Amino acid sequence: MTAAKRTLAFLAGLRVPEGPRAGKPLKLAPFQRSFVRGALKPSTSVAALSVARGNAKTALAAGIALAELLGHLERQPRREILIAARSRDQAGVALALAWGLAQSLDDDTREGLQLRRAPRAEIEFHGDGGGHVLRAIAADGKSILGGAPTLAILDERGHWPGGRGDELEGAILSGLGKRGGKALVISTSAADDAHPFSRWLDAPPPGAFVQEHRPAPGLPPDDLESLLLANPGARHGIGSSPAWLKAAAERAIARGGSALLGFRLYNRNERVSGEARDLLLTVDEWMACEADPLPPRSGPVVIGCDLGGSASMSAAAYFWPETHRLEVKAWFPGAPSLLHRGQADGVGDRYCVMQDRGELATLGERTVPVAAWFEAIMARVQGQHVAALCADRYKSAELGEAMDRAKVRAPIVWRGMGWRDGAEDVERFRRAVYDGKVLAASSLLMRSALGDAVCLKDPAGNSKLAKGRSMGRIDAAAAAVLAVAEGARMTARPAPRPAKLIFI
């Protein structure tokens, strides 16, 4: 009998330790059985499971850990099982679940188990030769250096702190190699594609098994079909019922802000930031701007330009204040390739997809030539009346020289990106979005930029734009802020009155 069959048979003999079904036989949902089979294949060394909160992923992992402790997976001597989590208390939850499941075992097996809460939280099994330990640890990699676990559970890996969390994962994986152990990496989705847990799901290495329950992005929060995709246990009496999920989605929509972001992240298992206070715009606020069909290109156009570093992304945004139409375009140097850039930035093939959608282009070789960049910017609105071209004052010398070489003939508005000008531009941009005065096509470029665009605040409450992560690309969002803010100022100015002739 395989390890998966032995484990499934063992779990079927347990009883639910807590909740509305406490005391009833443990019945696994199809997605749980599928994960057990995939994770316990002989060829699997790391198994990753991503599912929404409340689908008993921690309880399932605790049951597998108990099975390993008692020798149902392998019969190695002195087995060591680790349950690692963001904090010791969170790891203790999984340990408590394993102890609760153990209470449904026969008397002889229970007598061989011992629970200790100090100095370390662990369960020791004295049977089968003795010395078998199930231990709960927090995200501090140095605490397990030298260990040799046979099974490790990385609980809620998508929300471990950076640095220490990566150190812990590395220490666990290196220790597992000593005895041919397995790692179960379970979590709701991380906030972005660059997180190590997202990399496990998107680019699994050889020997990895991946099971992800994540709906397509951009769907309404109360879409029932996608809710059930993210919550596969709901149809089988595990966690929240479909009716509760639907009602919770409606409450989150009504509240908006951080409540809606939290619902998308934890209950819909989407990759969105759980922080609402520092974001330039949330994903739902931007989605309200996406329109089909778009209004026409009529009236004067305002162009916002954000020149990146020597080898970085540069972007331009075109805004027509009269019709509220917004278009955004970005450029990268040709070398390295967009695929290599995406891998270095932790976004996979996203840049290649943007190029296929016509939102991103390459220009130049190692750097974007500024004069040629301005020529490409102006070529997109050839024949249009350019009312203003907004750019960063900090780069006025470099941009001014390039504009002269490109023979740009348009009024130039220099804006600072710090607390003074930046706070006004951010506020005008947000106000225009909230008032429904920004309409754009569906743009992966803008969604990606807004996912990394945060606002830093000074003690007086002034905001300026900044990156949410070091590898983030927010140039498209910065250009859009410049263009929309200047367009808002133009429409707010009173129209000039015709001069009156007075005869004396």
Side-chain angles (χ1 to χ4, degrees), residues 158-452:
H159 306 284
W160 286 10
R164 288 190 307 162
D166 297 342
E167 186 178 299
L168 174 61
E169 181 184 287
I172 289 175
L173 295 181
S174 63
L176 287 168
K178 300 177 183 179
R179 301 175 66 178
K182 294 180 181 289
L184 306 183
V185 188
I186 61 174
S187 181
T188 54
S189 287
D192 54 63
D193 296 336
H195 194 279
F197 181 64
S198 300
R199 304 305 301 151
W200 278 116
L201 301 173
D202 297 343
F209 171 77
V210 171
Q211 185 171 320
E212 185 179 19
H213 300 269
R214 179 166 62 99
L219 295 174
D222 58 350
D223 179 68
L224 185 57
E225 183 178 352
S226 58
L227 270 173
L228 295 177
L229 175 63
N231 296 268
R235 296 185 187 273
H236 304 278
I238 297 175
S240 307
S241 66
W244 186 94
L245 290 169
K246 185 77 172 178
E250 293 172 354
R251 289 194 298 270
I253 293 172
R255 294 178 63 191
S258 60
L260 185 53
L261 283 174
F263 182 82
R264 282 190 177 276
L265 180 61
Y266 298 116
N267 296 98
R268 289 183 57 83
N269 201 34
E270 296 185 22
R271 290 183 191 173
V272 297
S273 174
E275 292 290 334
R277 55 179 181 171
D278 294 330
L279 290 177
L280 176 64
L281 286 179
T282 67
V283 61
D284 291 278
E285 289 167 346
W286 172 252
M287 285 172 57
C289 299
E290 296 180 349
D292 185 22
L294 283 174
R297 287 178 156 195
S298 65
V301 59
V302 180
I303 304 175
C305 303
D306 186 83
L307 177 65
S310 57
S312 182
M313 177 187 284
S314 297
Y318 307 85
F319 183 61
W320 285 263
E322 290 185 4
T323 61
H324 313 316
R325 177 175 178 138
L326 175 68
E327 297 178 7
V328 186
K329 177 83 173 183
W331 290 263
F332 263 128
S337 68
L338 293 180
L339 181 59
H340 288 161
R341 284 185 183 276
Q343 293 171 345
D345 290 350
V347 295
D349 63 347
R350 188 187 299 176
Y351 297 149
C352 297
V353 176
M354 291 179 187
Q355 185 182 41
D356 294 340
R357 292 165 59 103
E359 302 164 359
L360 179 64
T362 56
L363 186 64
E365 295 185 7
R366 293 288 177 179
T367 64
V368 173
V370 187
W373 177 56
F374 271 113
E375 291 176 356
I377 290 174
M378 302 305 292
R380 288 180 60 87
V381 287
Q382 188 173 8
Q384 297 269 319
H385 170 51
V386 179
L389 197 153
C390 304
D392 185 0
R393 184 187 300 117
Y394 181 74
K395 300 179 180 179
S396 59
E398 182 180 10
L399 292 174
E401 294 168 0
M403 289 179 192
D404 291 339
R405 290 197 299 271
K407 298 180 180 180
V408 175
R409 298 293 179 263
I412 310 299
V413 179
W414 299 109
R415 300 292 295 175
M417 303 299 285
W419 303 113
R420 182 179 177 182
D421 290 352
E424 179 192 342
D425 289 348
V426 165
E427 181 60 28
R428 285 185 181 272
F429 175 76
R430 284 173 166 168
R431 187 182 295 275
V433 168
Y434 299 155
D435 290 341
K437 295 181 178 179
V438 177
L439 300 174
S442 176
S443 171
L444 179 60
L445 173 66
M446 277 298 292
R447 288 189 182 186
S448 179
L450 290 170
D452 289 320

Side-chain angles (χ1 to χ4, degrees), residues 9-34:
F10 169 75
L11 294 175
L14 301 179
R15 293 186 177 274
V16 180
E18 59 187 46
R21 293 174 51 85
K24 296 182 179 180
L26 184 66
K27 293 184 179 180
L28 298 184
F31 84 96
Q32 294 173 316
R33 292 195 293 269
S34 174

